[in-house]
Amino acid sequence: MISAIRTVLAATALTLGVTHAFAAEVQVAVAANFTAPMQKIAAEFERDTGHKARLAFGATGKFYAQIRNGAPFEVFLSADDTTPAKLEEEGATVAGSRFTYAIGRLALWSAQAGVVDDKGEVLRRGAFAHLAVANPKTAPYGAAAQEVMHRLGVAEALAAKLVTGENIAQTHQFVASGNAELGFVALSQVWADGRLTGGSAWLVPAGLHAPLRQDAVILAPGRDKPAARALAEYLRGAKATAIIKSYGYGQ
Amino acid sequence: MMSTADLAAIRLTLELAAVTTAILLVIGTPVAWWLARTRSAWKGVVGAVVALPLVLPPTVIGFYLLLLMGPHGPVGQLTQALGIGLLPFSFAGLVVGSVFYSLPFVVQPLQQAFEAIGERPLEVAATLRAGALDTFFSVVLPLARPGFVTAAVLGFAHTVGEFGVVLMIGGNIPEKTRVVSVQIYDHVEALEYAQAHWLSAGMVVFSFVVLFLLYSRKRGGVR
């Protein structure tokens, strides 16, 4: 009896030890627009693999500077495809690990119902004081918004009404707090389970701006980390893909 | 070298700091005077509120100001009712944020200067039948002069260094709300490190010179 208990205890200890040896942490830098889906994916990832993804959210340009200066991120989910490519050129990534995890969609959004029509005509009427956009110099969604306004021929007329968020998260905050009546945000910020979470929006046709291809890459510090590889793998899996789509991203 | 956008940001920053300091001296003086003289139970509460920006992250101040001054916030509804419109994304909004942000840097030196004067000069003035206002302008102000210089310099310099508050409520509008610290942040994000260095080094030199002059000033004045 006692020996049986001992065997069970030993087996349990062994199993726990083994699980522990395999379960690891992975440090992930995530573009601000991908915050909500990534939180969901990270939770599923932890449940399915036992690995824990530690997430940092922010602007892609800031992450680039931090990574170049030795930040210990192991996986980088960028808001564009140029920044990961640049890091790859500079030898800061694991070769061949770069892939597109999502294609971003832009939305013209107001926290209030009935402000934004479903064709974006509100931009031409211009009956508002502030239009929030992400900084076009540093945020891909901001650059896309600028492109859309140029295509529609309203860029000059609206220039004086622009308020610029440091990244897409802050841009969303300007609109959500009502300080800007409307703004260009990432669809994923106002979209869940296939519909708008509130307010009114125009889903900007993808043809009006260059594709918002968002690439992920394993960074040099993640080279020999199974958890980093597992996360990159997981992002391409069916479960993650479904979550990504439910937030309005294309793939 | 510095671009016209950089120079515009510098000019805006100096304007903001000047306006903020002027306002703070006007509203900070009575507050500091009250704090220095009162025996009220409210002294602790008011003193703590004044000192809050010393410990609060500027993003917290900026975040709440954004909500308070927004269309759904009480301050925003008041400014709208008064016909001023909404304060975020405007120079006026930055002034409101800066006044709160730099409050302790003006009130605390003034309070210390007032406390250092003590009861005696006021009693003497009273025996000479000086009124309260006369006493304040003829006795207190001259005696507290070094305190006012310290308060003005620290208030100005601290506002020049403001970042988090402006980032939250400013909207990064050129020549309206884009101050130096935000311009530096933009340069760094856009990987324009040379321009970032010009402005950043300028800030370091400015801050050092201001503090050096302040701390190497001959002590005394407050007796």
Side-chain angles (χ1 to χ4, degrees):
Chain A
M1 181 63 193
I2 287 178
S3 74
I5 291 174
R6 224 177 249 160
T7 314
V8 171
L9 280 181
T12 313
L14 200 67
T15 322
L16 284 177
V18 167
T19 318
H20 197 252
F22 279 123
E25 277 188 5
V26 50
Q27 308 283 341
V28 197
V30 185
N33 75 75
F34 202 62
T35 300
M38 193 55 200
Q39 279 166 336
K40 224 172 183 177
I41 291 170
E44 294 289 330
F45 174 67
E46 190 175 351
R47 199 170 310 149
D48 289 351
T49 66
H51 297 309
K52 186 159 177 52
R54 291 211 173 275
L55 310 176
F57 304 103
T60 294
K62 182 175 66 196
F63 280 136
Y64 173 80
Q66 291 177 343
I67 290 163
R68 285 221 5 204
N69 288 291
F73 295 118
E74 291 154 359
V75 175
F76 178 33
L77 273 60
S78 177
D80 61 6
D81 54 355
T82 51
T83 309
K86 206 145 118 198
L87 285 166
E88 189 175 88
E89 253 168 56
E90 292 162 354
T93 70
V94 172
S97 67
R98 185 157 56 89
F99 67 98
T100 302
Y101 65 93
I103 292 170
R105 292 296 304 272
L106 196 63
L108 181 68
W109 178 65
S110 169
Q112 271 187 313
V115 173
V116 178
D117 57 285
D118 58 9
K119 291 202 172 61
E121 288 297 324
V122 62
L123 287 177
R124 284 185 218 283
R125 287 197 300 275
F128 49 84
H130 294 297
L131 171 67
V133 293
N135 192 340
K137 221 164 76 171
T138 55
Y141 280 85
Q146 200 92 58
E147 205 180 329
V148 170
M149 287 187 284
H150 276 293
R151 283 271 179 96
L152 298 179
V154 294
E156 246 170 74
L158 294 177
K161 300 185 174 195
L162 295 187
V163 289
T164 312
E166 183 258 308
N167 59 33
I168 201 68
Q170 208 204 355
T171 309
H172 177 266
Q173 189 184 84
F174 283 162
V175 185
S177 65
N179 283 294
E181 294 95 319
L182 66 168
F184 282 101
V185 301
L187 181 62
S188 57
Q189 294 175 307
V190 296
W191 195 262
D193 301 324
R195 60 193 164 91
L196 207 60
T197 48
S200 51
W202 170 47
L203 211 168
V204 179
L208 284 180
H209 57 82
L212 287 160
R213 211 178 290 284
Q214 302 194 189
D215 280 5
V217 73
I218 299 179
L219 299 166
R223 192 178 303 278
D224 302 313
K225 301 279 179 67
R229 247 167 238 288
L231 180 65
E233 207 57 47
Y234 198 84
L235 271 168
R236 280 179 277 199
K239 217 180 226 177
T241 308
I243 293 174
I244 293 170
K245 279 206 175 120
S246 75
Y247 280 92
Y249 287 99
Q251 268 207 325
Chain B
M1 265 317 279
M2 291 203 194
S3 64
T4 45
D6 291 341
L7 294 173
I10 291 174
R11 212 191 54 212
L12 183 73
T13 306
L14 296 177
E15 268 172 30
L16 177 66
V19 172
T20 301
T21 308
I23 293 176
L24 272 176
L25 286 175
V26 171
I27 62 173
T29 303
V31 174
W33 180 249
W34 183 82
L35 279 171
R37 313 279 312 159
T38 188
R39 291 195 185 90
S40 158
W42 287 94
K43 180 176 173 168
V45 176
V46 175
V49 169
V50 166
L52 264 184
L54 287 177
V55 291
L56 281 182
T59 40
V60 170
I61 301 172
F63 175 60
Y64 279 122
L65 283 176
L66 187 69
L67 297 186
L68 280 175
M69 303 194 304
H72 314 299
V75 178
Q77 287 179 344
L78 179 73
T79 54
Q80 277 178 314
L82 294 174
I84 306 169
L86 293 170
L87 291 176
F89 317 132
S90 72
F91 184 77
L94 291 199
V95 171
V96 172
S98 306
V99 162
F100 187 66
Y101 175 70
S102 294
L103 188 65
F105 289 80
V106 171
V107 170
Q108 291 188 347
L110 288 180
Q111 186 186 343
Q112 279 159 20
F114 292 150
E115 280 167 354
I117 292 171
E119 298 286 333
R120 189 74 190 131
L122 305 179
E123 287 165 7
V124 172
T127 55
L128 296 174
R129 298 192 179 176
L133 273 184
D134 188 15
T135 307
F136 187 80
F137 284 104
S138 323
V139 180
V140 174
L141 272 189
L143 285 177
R145 222 181 77 100
F148 275 95
V149 174
T150 306
V153 171
L154 283 184
F156 188 90
H158 189 241
T159 307
V160 166
E162 173 174 352
F163 173 65
V165 178
V166 198
L167 192 71
M168 295 295 267
I169 64 173
N172 201 352
I173 305 167
E175 293 174 37
K176 222 166 127 199
T177 62
R178 186 190 287 161
V179 296
V180 171
S181 55
V182 173
Q183 178 80 351
I184 292 172
Y185 189 82
D186 269 11
H187 281 320
V188 174
E189 284 245 304
L191 316 181
E192 298 162 352
Y193 291 172
Q195 284 103 311
H197 273 309
W198 273 107
L199 280 179
S200 302
M203 286 287 267
V204 173
V205 170
F206 165 80
S207 307
F208 176 79
V209 168
V210 164
L211 293 176
F212 174 76
L213 291 177
L214 192 65
Y215 288 123
S216 56
R217 209 159 38 113
K218 223 174 114 190
R219 282 281 156 210
V222 180
R223 274 147 291 199

